[in-house]
Amino acid sequence: MDFSDSPEERVYREKVHAWLSANASPAVAEQDLSVVADADNVPRAKEWQARKWAAGYAALTIAKEYGGGGEAPIKQVIYEQEEAKFDVARGTLDIGLGICIPTVVVWGSDAQRDRYVKKALSGEEVWCQLFSEPSGGSDLAALRTRAVRDGERWIVNGQKVWTSGAHFADYGLLLARTDPAAPKHKGITAFIVNMKAAGVEVRPIRTMAGSAEFNEVFFSDVSIPDSDRLGPPGQGWQVGLSTLMHERMKAGKGFGLAGWKKMLDIARNARIDGAPALKDSRVRERIADNWAQEQALRLLSFRAQTALSQGGIPGPEQSISKLVDGTLAQQAAAFMLDLVGEPAVYAAGSDSPLRSVYSSWMWAAATRIAGGSDEILRNVIAERVLGLPTDARPDKNTPFNEL
Ligand SMILES: Cc1cc2nc3c(=O)[nH]c(=O)nc-3n(C[C@H](O)[C@H](O)[C@H](O)COP(=O)(O)OP(=O)(O)OC[C@H]3O[C@@H](n4cnc5c(N)ncnc54)[C@H](O)[C@@H]3O)c2cc1C
């Protein structure tokens, strides 16, 4: 594990930092995650993406011929680390840019890459990911949305759920069942779907935080031209695996919901039974414990970073980072809410420095589900890191329509 930048990486970091300093203001507060998938945030996110595109920072790991930077993944990590220090709209376009578009680059035809990649990288078109369904979340291969071939087009009927950003997306990466007689992993095909097409209906789901970042999406006789099929028929599972690999890598980079410094700030101003909260040894112990776990996560991220720096890819240990990070974020958020108490609720939506305490707590639960739930991550760690016997999968080879 190597903790420091190589000489080349240091030069690149300085270059990126200089560009960011010239184009954005330093961040004064951590980003409020509750606004990331807010439609109001989209114009600002698109404007920032267009500026990155013009400067060559839009998608560093995508090949130059498709409009990316053609750089090694470590450059993307460095760029993101530096960008996080600035007050820019981060996160809103991530599903498209970090998950869908890299999948189009790998699986798309030349015509698809020409049509879709540059418009997404330049911030002109926004994408969403249409995978999860009421009957297929963790068990994604159980999805039931049907696509039936009709000459040079496919007719889609079914429902997706938890589709982040579908309410402002132009295109979606869709997995649908095209061969119900094949075993569940083998009868799926991937498509690019125009979210404005006739028969696509997006219904917002309001979360307990009061916002509506994700949606139900209904397909009623939606027509998709065969030219928008992504990859061969029946290979949708393999297409989806590319997508999920990008998603887990993204999720494992940290949600940044909490942080020991923020806990310390909150504790400095809070009181317990009339005395400063920091005088309470239980409070100090919690902050120290958080600090220790964050250091362990940092070291794990250095391990992934070292792998990237040496031209490798991070392994399933990324699941460990995501598992610990989500749990830590939720525990820290609950602790801060306890310390602040009722005023945290009134501060939400205001300019108060306490405004993110409540939304962090509301959001923390989602971090333990999105991009792979805790239990699924534990299965990955058990099977692929520890080499324990695999989960029972009795339905793997049975035709889907006989399950
Ligand atoms: C904030 C957020 C944003 C999201 N955005 C998107 C999006 O843009 N596009 C999209 O397609 N999806 C999205 N999702 C959906 C997400 O991928 C699913 O919620 C996730 O895969 C879990 O699926 P599920 O909700 O159907 O839960 P289920 O799979 O029904 O799981 C229910 C519970 O059972 C447990 N469980 C399931 N299977 C096993 C097993 N084999 N072993 C042990 N325990 C198990 C789970 O861990 C969980 O606790 C989003 C979710 C969240 C929270």
Side-chain angles (χ1 to χ4, degrees), residues 16-17 19-33 35-36 41-52 57 79-94:
V16 165
H17 192 89
W19 182 79
L20 286 161
S21 301
N23 285 277
S25 314
V28 283
E30 82 179 285
Q31 193 178 28
D32 184 350
L33 287 185
V35 305
V36 163
N41 211 35
V42 175
R44 189 168 170 249
K46 284 181 151 190
E47 193 274 327
W48 179 238
Q49 185 62 26
R51 219 186 296 186
K52 281 165 69 170
Y57 293 118
Y79 177 84
E80 286 175 17
Q81 286 171 345
E82 293 306 311
E83 193 187 59
K85 298 173 187 164
F86 290 84
D87 179 23
V88 295
R90 287 181 296 122
T92 306
L93 309 181
D94 274 10

Short mmCIF file of all heavy atoms in Angstrom, two decimals, residues 16-17 19-33 35-36 41-52 57 79-94:
data_model
loop_
_atom_site.label_atom_id
_atom_site.label_comp_id
_atom_site.label_asym_id
_atom_site.label_seq_id
_atom_site.Cartn_x
_atom_site.Cartn_y
_atom_site.Cartn_z
N VAL A 16 -4.96 19.88 -11.60
CA VAL A 16 -6.41 19.82 -11.36
C VAL A 16 -6.81 20.89 -10.34
O VAL A 16 -7.80 21.61 -10.52
CB VAL A 16 -6.80 18.41 -10.84
CG1 VAL A 16 -8.18 18.41 -10.25
CG2 VAL A 16 -6.69 17.39 -11.96
N HIS A 17 -6.03 20.98 -9.27
CA HIS A 17 -6.35 21.93 -8.21
C HIS A 17 -6.32 23.36 -8.75
O HIS A 17 -7.20 24.17 -8.43
CB HIS A 17 -5.38 21.77 -7.04
CG HIS A 17 -5.83 22.50 -5.81
ND1 HIS A 17 -6.65 21.92 -4.86
CD2 HIS A 17 -5.64 23.78 -5.42
CE1 HIS A 17 -6.91 22.81 -3.93
NE2 HIS A 17 -6.31 23.95 -4.23
N TRP A 19 -6.90 24.32 -11.83
CA TRP A 19 -8.07 24.55 -12.68
C TRP A 19 -9.33 24.77 -11.82
O TRP A 19 -10.12 25.68 -12.08
CB TRP A 19 -8.29 23.37 -13.64
CG TRP A 19 -9.47 23.61 -14.54
CD1 TRP A 19 -9.48 24.39 -15.65
CD2 TRP A 19 -10.80 23.11 -14.37
NE1 TRP A 19 -10.76 24.41 -16.19
CE2 TRP A 19 -11.58 23.64 -15.43
CE3 TRP A 19 -11.41 22.28 -13.43
CZ2 TRP A 19 -12.93 23.35 -15.58
CZ3 TRP A 19 -12.77 22.00 -13.57
CH2 TRP A 19 -13.52 22.53 -14.63
N LEU A 20 -9.47 23.93 -10.80
CA LEU A 20 -10.65 24.07 -9.92
C LEU A 20 -10.62 25.43 -9.22
O LEU A 20 -11.66 26.11 -9.12
CB LEU A 20 -10.68 22.93 -8.89
CG LEU A 20 -11.10 21.57 -9.46
CD1 LEU A 20 -10.67 20.44 -8.52
CD2 LEU A 20 -12.60 21.52 -9.68
N SER A 21 -9.45 25.85 -8.77
CA SER A 21 -9.35 27.14 -8.06
C SER A 21 -9.77 28.29 -8.99
O SER A 21 -10.37 29.26 -8.56
CB SER A 21 -7.92 27.41 -7.61
OG SER A 21 -7.51 26.38 -6.77
N ALA A 22 -9.45 28.14 -10.28
CA ALA A 22 -9.79 29.21 -11.23
C ALA A 22 -11.26 29.18 -11.64
O ALA A 22 -11.78 30.16 -12.17
CB ALA A 22 -8.91 29.07 -12.47
N ASN A 23 -11.92 28.04 -11.40
CA ASN A 23 -13.30 27.90 -11.92
C ASN A 23 -14.37 27.72 -10.86
O ASN A 23 -15.56 27.68 -11.19
CB ASN A 23 -13.36 26.70 -12.88
CG ASN A 23 -12.72 27.02 -14.21
OD1 ASN A 23 -13.37 27.61 -15.07
ND2 ASN A 23 -11.45 26.70 -14.34
N ALA A 24 -13.99 27.57 -9.60
CA ALA A 24 -14.99 27.34 -8.55
C ALA A 24 -14.48 27.91 -7.23
O ALA A 24 -13.28 28.16 -7.07
CB ALA A 24 -15.25 25.83 -8.40
N SER A 25 -15.43 28.11 -6.31
CA SER A 25 -15.04 28.62 -4.98
C SER A 25 -14.80 27.43 -4.06
O SER A 25 -15.45 26.39 -4.20
CB SER A 25 -16.16 29.46 -4.38
OG SER A 25 -16.65 30.33 -5.33
N PRO A 26 -13.94 27.61 -3.07
CA PRO A 26 -13.74 26.51 -2.12
C PRO A 26 -15.03 26.19 -1.38
O PRO A 26 -15.85 27.07 -1.14
CB PRO A 26 -12.70 27.08 -1.14
CG PRO A 26 -12.08 28.22 -1.85
CD PRO A 26 -13.10 28.77 -2.79
N ALA A 27 -15.20 24.91 -1.04
CA ALA A 27 -16.41 24.50 -0.29
C ALA A 27 -16.32 25.06 1.12
O ALA A 27 -15.28 24.96 1.76
CB ALA A 27 -16.51 22.99 -0.26
N VAL A 28 -17.42 25.65 1.59
CA VAL A 28 -17.41 26.15 2.97
C VAL A 28 -18.10 25.18 3.90
O VAL A 28 -17.87 25.16 5.10
CB VAL A 28 -18.08 27.55 3.09
CG1 VAL A 28 -17.14 28.63 2.59
CG2 VAL A 28 -19.40 27.60 2.35
N ALA A 29 -19.00 24.35 3.33
CA ALA A 29 -19.69 23.35 4.15
C ALA A 29 -19.76 22.08 3.33
O ALA A 29 -19.59 22.10 2.12
CB ALA A 29 -21.09 23.85 4.46
N GLU A 30 -20.00 20.96 4.02
CA GLU A 30 -20.12 19.72 3.27
C GLU A 30 -21.41 19.77 2.43
O GLU A 30 -22.36 20.47 2.78
CB GLU A 30 -20.15 18.52 4.21
CG GLU A 30 -21.51 18.28 4.80
CD GLU A 30 -21.54 17.09 5.72
OE1 GLU A 30 -21.52 15.97 5.22
OE2 GLU A 30 -21.62 17.31 6.92
N GLN A 31 -21.40 19.04 1.32
CA GLN A 31 -22.56 19.07 0.44
C GLN A 31 -23.76 18.39 1.13
O GLN A 31 -23.62 17.35 1.75
CB GLN A 31 -22.22 18.32 -0.84
CG GLN A 31 -23.24 18.56 -1.92
CD GLN A 31 -22.87 17.84 -3.22
OE1 GLN A 31 -22.20 16.82 -3.20
NE2 GLN A 31 -23.31 18.37 -4.32
N ASP A 32 -24.92 19.04 1.01
CA ASP A 32 -26.14 18.47 1.58
C ASP A 32 -26.66 17.40 0.60
O ASP A 32 -27.12 17.72 -0.49
CB ASP A 32 -27.18 19.58 1.78
CG ASP A 32 -28.44 19.07 2.47
OD1 ASP A 32 -28.57 17.83 2.60
OD2 ASP A 32 -29.27 19.90 2.86
N LEU A 33 -26.54 16.12 1.01
CA LEU A 33 -26.88 15.04 0.08
C LEU A 33 -28.34 15.03 -0.33
O LEU A 33 -28.70 14.47 -1.35
CB LEU A 33 -26.52 13.69 0.71
CG LEU A 33 -25.04 13.38 0.78
CD1 LEU A 33 -24.82 11.98 1.29
CD2 LEU A 33 -24.38 13.53 -0.57
N VAL A 35 -30.00 17.27 -1.57
CA VAL A 35 -30.31 18.04 -2.79
C VAL A 35 -29.71 17.40 -4.05
O VAL A 35 -29.98 17.84 -5.16
CB VAL A 35 -29.82 19.51 -2.70
CG1 VAL A 35 -30.37 20.21 -1.49
CG2 VAL A 35 -28.30 19.61 -2.73
N VAL A 36 -28.92 16.34 -3.85
CA VAL A 36 -28.19 15.78 -4.99
C VAL A 36 -29.12 15.36 -6.13
O VAL A 36 -28.85 15.63 -7.30
CB VAL A 36 -27.32 14.59 -4.51
CG1 VAL A 36 -26.89 13.72 -5.67
CG2 VAL A 36 -26.10 15.12 -3.79
N ASN A 41 -31.56 21.09 -8.81
CA ASN A 41 -30.09 21.08 -8.85
C ASN A 41 -29.55 20.79 -10.25
O ASN A 41 -28.37 20.97 -10.51
CB ASN A 41 -29.58 20.01 -7.88
CG ASN A 41 -28.25 20.36 -7.27
OD1 ASN A 41 -27.97 21.52 -7.02
ND2 ASN A 41 -27.42 19.35 -7.06
N VAL A 42 -30.44 20.32 -11.15
CA VAL A 42 -29.99 19.83 -12.45
C VAL A 42 -29.33 20.92 -13.32
O VAL A 42 -28.24 20.69 -13.85
CB VAL A 42 -31.15 19.13 -13.19
CG1 VAL A 42 -30.73 18.72 -14.59
CG2 VAL A 42 -31.60 17.92 -12.40
N PRO A 43 -29.94 22.12 -13.45
CA PRO A 43 -29.28 23.13 -14.30
C PRO A 43 -27.85 23.44 -13.83
O PRO A 43 -26.93 23.54 -14.65
CB PRO A 43 -30.19 24.37 -14.15
CG PRO A 43 -31.52 23.81 -13.76
CD PRO A 43 -31.22 22.59 -12.94
N ARG A 44 -27.67 23.54 -12.51
CA ARG A 44 -26.33 23.85 -11.97
C ARG A 44 -25.37 22.68 -12.27
O ARG A 44 -24.21 22.88 -12.64
CB ARG A 44 -26.47 24.09 -10.46
CG ARG A 44 -25.24 24.63 -9.82
CD ARG A 44 -25.48 25.13 -8.40
NE ARG A 44 -24.21 25.41 -7.76
CZ ARG A 44 -23.69 24.71 -6.76
NH1 ARG A 44 -24.37 23.71 -6.23
NH2 ARG A 44 -22.51 25.02 -6.27
N ALA A 45 -25.88 21.45 -12.11
CA ALA A 45 -25.04 20.28 -12.37
C ALA A 45 -24.67 20.20 -13.85
O ALA A 45 -23.53 19.88 -14.21
CB ALA A 45 -25.77 19.01 -11.94
N LYS A 46 -25.62 20.52 -14.73
CA LYS A 46 -25.35 20.47 -16.17
C LYS A 46 -24.33 21.55 -16.56
O LYS A 46 -23.44 21.30 -17.38
CB LYS A 46 -26.64 20.72 -16.96
CG LYS A 46 -27.58 19.52 -16.99
CD LYS A 46 -28.80 19.88 -17.81
CE LYS A 46 -29.39 18.67 -18.48
NZ LYS A 46 -30.41 18.98 -19.46
N GLU A 47 -24.49 22.72 -15.96
CA GLU A 47 -23.57 23.82 -16.28
C GLU A 47 -22.14 23.46 -15.86
O GLU A 47 -21.19 23.65 -16.60
CB GLU A 47 -24.07 25.09 -15.56
CG GLU A 47 -23.44 26.39 -16.01
CD GLU A 47 -22.13 26.68 -15.30
OE1 GLU A 47 -22.00 26.31 -14.09
OE2 GLU A 47 -21.24 27.25 -15.92
N TRP A 48 -22.01 22.86 -14.68
CA TRP A 48 -20.68 22.47 -14.19
C TRP A 48 -20.09 21.36 -15.07
O TRP A 48 -18.91 21.37 -15.42
CB TRP A 48 -20.77 22.05 -12.72
CG TRP A 48 -19.45 21.59 -12.15
CD1 TRP A 48 -19.17 20.39 -11.59
CD2 TRP A 48 -18.23 22.36 -12.06
NE1 TRP A 48 -17.86 20.34 -11.18
CE2 TRP A 48 -17.26 21.53 -11.46
CE3 TRP A 48 -17.88 23.64 -12.44
CZ2 TRP A 48 -15.96 21.95 -11.22
CZ3 TRP A 48 -16.56 24.05 -12.22
CH2 TRP A 48 -15.62 23.22 -11.61
N GLN A 49 -20.95 20.40 -15.46
CA GLN A 49 -20.48 19.31 -16.31
C GLN A 49 -19.99 19.85 -17.66
O GLN A 49 -18.97 19.42 -18.18
CB GLN A 49 -21.62 18.29 -16.52
CG GLN A 49 -21.21 17.04 -17.29
CD GLN A 49 -20.13 16.23 -16.59
OE1 GLN A 49 -19.99 16.26 -15.36
NE2 GLN A 49 -19.33 15.50 -17.36
N ALA A 50 -20.73 20.84 -18.22
CA ALA A 50 -20.33 21.42 -19.51
C ALA A 50 -18.96 22.09 -19.38
O ALA A 50 -18.11 22.00 -20.27
CB ALA A 50 -21.39 22.43 -19.97
N ARG A 51 -18.75 22.73 -18.22
CA ARG A 51 -17.46 23.40 -18.02
C ARG A 51 -16.32 22.36 -17.91
O ARG A 51 -15.23 22.55 -18.44
CB ARG A 51 -17.55 24.25 -16.75
CG ARG A 51 -16.80 25.55 -16.99
CD ARG A 51 -16.65 26.42 -15.86
NE ARG A 51 -17.88 26.96 -15.31
CZ ARG A 51 -17.84 27.86 -14.35
NH1 ARG A 51 -16.69 28.28 -13.88
NH2 ARG A 51 -18.95 28.35 -13.84
N LYS A 52 -16.61 21.26 -17.20
CA LYS A 52 -15.61 20.19 -17.09
C LYS A 52 -15.31 19.60 -18.47
O LYS A 52 -14.17 19.28 -18.80
CB LYS A 52 -16.14 19.08 -16.17
CG LYS A 52 -16.00 19.43 -14.70
CD LYS A 52 -16.84 18.53 -13.82
CE LYS A 52 -16.39 17.11 -13.76
NZ LYS A 52 -17.10 16.35 -12.70
N TYR A 57 -12.13 17.47 -18.34
CA TYR A 57 -12.26 16.71 -17.09
C TYR A 57 -13.60 15.96 -16.97
O TYR A 57 -13.95 15.48 -15.90
CB TYR A 57 -12.13 17.66 -15.88
CG TYR A 57 -10.75 18.26 -15.74
CD1 TYR A 57 -10.56 19.63 -15.81
CD2 TYR A 57 -9.65 17.45 -15.53
CE1 TYR A 57 -9.29 20.19 -15.69
CE2 TYR A 57 -8.38 17.99 -15.40
CZ TYR A 57 -8.20 19.36 -15.48
OH TYR A 57 -6.95 19.89 -15.36
N TYR A 79 -8.87 13.53 -9.33
CA TYR A 79 -9.76 14.64 -9.70
C TYR A 79 -10.91 14.75 -8.68
O TYR A 79 -11.22 15.84 -8.18
CB TYR A 79 -10.35 14.45 -11.12
CG TYR A 79 -11.29 15.57 -11.43
CD1 TYR A 79 -10.81 16.78 -11.91
CD2 TYR A 79 -12.65 15.46 -11.11
CE1 TYR A 79 -11.66 17.85 -12.10
CE2 TYR A 79 -13.50 16.53 -11.30
CZ TYR A 79 -13.00 17.72 -11.79
OH TYR A 79 -13.84 18.80 -11.94
N GLU A 80 -11.52 13.60 -8.35
CA GLU A 80 -12.67 13.64 -7.42
C GLU A 80 -12.26 14.10 -6.03
O GLU A 80 -13.00 14.82 -5.36
CB GLU A 80 -13.35 12.26 -7.36
CG GLU A 80 -14.13 11.98 -8.63
CD GLU A 80 -14.72 10.59 -8.69
OE1 GLU A 80 -14.81 9.94 -7.64
OE2 GLU A 80 -15.08 10.15 -9.79
N GLN A 81 -11.07 13.68 -5.60
CA GLN A 81 -10.60 14.14 -4.27
C GLN A 81 -10.44 15.65 -4.26
O GLN A 81 -10.81 16.31 -3.29
CB GLN A 81 -9.27 13.46 -3.93
CG GLN A 81 -9.41 12.00 -3.57
CD GLN A 81 -8.07 11.30 -3.44
OE1 GLN A 81 -7.03 11.81 -3.88
NE2 GLN A 81 -8.08 10.12 -2.83
N GLU A 82 -9.92 16.19 -5.33
CA GLU A 82 -9.72 17.65 -5.38
C GLU A 82 -11.06 18.37 -5.55
O GLU A 82 -11.31 19.39 -4.90
CB GLU A 82 -8.75 18.01 -6.52
CG GLU A 82 -7.34 17.52 -6.29
CD GLU A 82 -6.76 17.98 -4.95
OE1 GLU A 82 -6.84 19.18 -4.64
OE2 GLU A 82 -6.24 17.13 -4.19
N GLU A 83 -11.91 17.83 -6.40
CA GLU A 83 -13.21 18.48 -6.66
C GLU A 83 -14.05 18.58 -5.38
O GLU A 83 -14.79 19.54 -5.18
CB GLU A 83 -13.98 17.72 -7.75
CG GLU A 83 -15.17 18.50 -8.28
CD GLU A 83 -16.04 17.70 -9.23
OE1 GLU A 83 -16.56 16.63 -8.83
OE2 GLU A 83 -16.20 18.10 -10.37
N ALA A 84 -13.90 17.56 -4.50
CA ALA A 84 -14.69 17.55 -3.25
C ALA A 84 -14.35 18.75 -2.36
O ALA A 84 -15.09 19.07 -1.43
CB ALA A 84 -14.45 16.24 -2.51
N LYS A 85 -13.23 19.41 -2.63
CA LYS A 85 -12.83 20.58 -1.80
C LYS A 85 -13.51 21.85 -2.30
O LYS A 85 -13.30 22.92 -1.74
CB LYS A 85 -11.30 20.76 -1.86
CG LYS A 85 -10.55 19.57 -1.28
CD LYS A 85 -9.04 19.72 -1.52
CE LYS A 85 -8.30 18.46 -1.10
NZ LYS A 85 -6.94 18.39 -1.63
N PHE A 86 -14.29 21.75 -3.38
CA PHE A 86 -14.88 22.96 -3.99
C PHE A 86 -16.40 22.90 -3.96
O PHE A 86 -17.00 21.82 -3.90
CB PHE A 86 -14.36 23.12 -5.43
CG PHE A 86 -12.90 23.51 -5.45
CD1 PHE A 86 -11.91 22.54 -5.36
CD2 PHE A 86 -12.54 24.84 -5.50
CE1 PHE A 86 -10.57 22.89 -5.34
CE2 PHE A 86 -11.19 25.21 -5.48
CZ PHE A 86 -10.21 24.24 -5.40
N ASP A 87 -16.98 24.10 -4.02
CA ASP A 87 -18.43 24.22 -3.96
C ASP A 87 -19.01 24.08 -5.37
O ASP A 87 -19.31 25.08 -6.03
CB ASP A 87 -18.78 25.60 -3.36
CG ASP A 87 -20.28 25.82 -3.30
OD1 ASP A 87 -21.01 24.81 -3.29
OD2 ASP A 87 -20.71 26.99 -3.28
N VAL A 88 -19.15 22.86 -5.83
CA VAL A 88 -19.72 22.62 -7.16
C VAL A 88 -20.82 21.56 -7.02
O VAL A 88 -20.88 20.85 -6.02
CB VAL A 88 -18.64 22.12 -8.16
CG1 VAL A 88 -17.60 23.18 -8.39
CG2 VAL A 88 -17.99 20.83 -7.68
N ALA A 89 -21.69 21.49 -8.03
CA ALA A 89 -22.81 20.53 -7.97
C ALA A 89 -22.28 19.14 -8.28
O ALA A 89 -22.05 18.80 -9.44
CB ALA A 89 -23.88 20.93 -8.97
N ARG A 90 -22.06 18.36 -7.23
CA ARG A 90 -21.56 16.99 -7.41
C ARG A 90 -22.70 16.01 -7.19
O ARG A 90 -23.60 16.26 -6.42
CB ARG A 90 -20.44 16.69 -6.42
CG ARG A 90 -19.14 17.39 -6.76
CD ARG A 90 -18.04 17.05 -5.77
NE ARG A 90 -18.33 17.52 -4.43
CZ ARG A 90 -18.40 16.74 -3.36
NH1 ARG A 90 -18.21 15.45 -3.47
NH2 ARG A 90 -18.65 17.26 -2.18
N GLY A 91 -22.64 14.87 -7.87
CA GLY A 91 -23.55 13.78 -7.56
C GLY A 91 -24.77 13.66 -8.46
O GLY A 91 -25.19 12.57 -8.79
N THR A 92 -25.32 14.80 -8.88
CA THR A 92 -26.61 14.76 -9.59
C THR A 92 -26.56 13.93 -10.88
O THR A 92 -27.50 13.21 -11.19
CB THR A 92 -27.07 16.21 -9.90
OG1 THR A 92 -27.06 16.92 -8.67
CG2 THR A 92 -28.45 16.24 -10.52
N LEU A 93 -25.46 14.02 -11.61
CA LEU A 93 -25.37 13.32 -12.89
C LEU A 93 -24.58 12.01 -12.78
O LEU A 93 -24.28 11.36 -13.79
CB LEU A 93 -24.71 14.23 -13.95
CG LEU A 93 -25.32 15.65 -14.09
CD1 LEU A 93 -24.59 16.42 -15.19
CD2 LEU A 93 -26.80 15.58 -14.40
N ASP A 94 -24.24 11.64 -11.54
CA ASP A 94 -23.32 10.51 -11.35
C ASP A 94 -23.84 9.18 -11.90
O ASP A 94 -23.05 8.36 -12.38
CB ASP A 94 -23.02 10.31 -9.86
CG ASP A 94 -21.87 11.20 -9.42
OD1 ASP A 94 -21.46 12.07 -10.21
OD2 ASP A 94 -21.40 11.04 -8.27
#
